[in-house]
Amino acid sequence: MATVCVLQFLLGLSDRQAAEAVCRRIDFKYALAMDLDDPGFHHSVLAAFRDRLAEDDRADQLLDLALARLKEAGLVRERTTQRTDSPPTSWPRCGT
């Protein structure tokens, strides 16, 4: 269900559209490791999932689990110095 929520967010889908995509789209079924003939679920399940996720720090637990799996797969390194393409905020601005 968490994967559906991520796809829903990335694609800007409503609950109804996301549930329909799970039912009809082969790319969603592949991402969710579902059989092609799996009927999917009712759109109200997404709201219920988000409600349960909001209880008792479950969202943090899910994020920690996902981060651990990404680290195991070598997709995320341990916390290091982050670099951005922005200059330090202490630099003077042009024209000031």
Side-chain angles (χ1 to χ4, degrees), residues 2-3 7 27 37 41 44 48 53 69-70 81 94:
T3 304
L7 292 171
D27 55 341
D37 59 350
F41 53 84
S44 63
L53 197 59
R69 297 274 170 88
L70 291 170
T81 302
C94 295

Side-chain angles (χ1 to χ4, degrees), residues 86-96:
S86 300
T89 56
S90 61
W91 286 8
R93 292 184 178 174
C94 295
T96 58

Side-chain angles (χ1 to χ4, degrees), residues 18-84:
E20 185 71 18
V22 169
C23 179
R24 305 220 182 273
R25 290 180 54 171
I26 194 169
D27 55 341
F28 268 66
K29 288 185 184 281
Y30 180 80
L32 300 167
M34 295 172 66
D35 291 331
L36 293 177
D37 59 350
D38 192 305
F41 53 84
H42 192 266
H43 65 87
S44 63
V45 172
L46 286 169
F49 174 75
R50 285 192 303 272
D51 289 344
R52 286 193 314 273
L53 197 59
E55 297 172 359
D56 304 322
D57 295 324
R58 290 181 182 175
D60 288 340
Q61 293 171 9
L62 180 61
L63 181 59
D64 289 343
L65 176 63
L67 188 57
R69 297 274 170 88
L70 291 170
K71 285 179 183 177
E72 288 171 12
L75 298 172
V76 174
R77 287 187 251 153
E78 289 296 323
R79 185 173 283 246
T80 60
T81 302
Q82 299 295 315
R83 298 185 181 167
T84 65

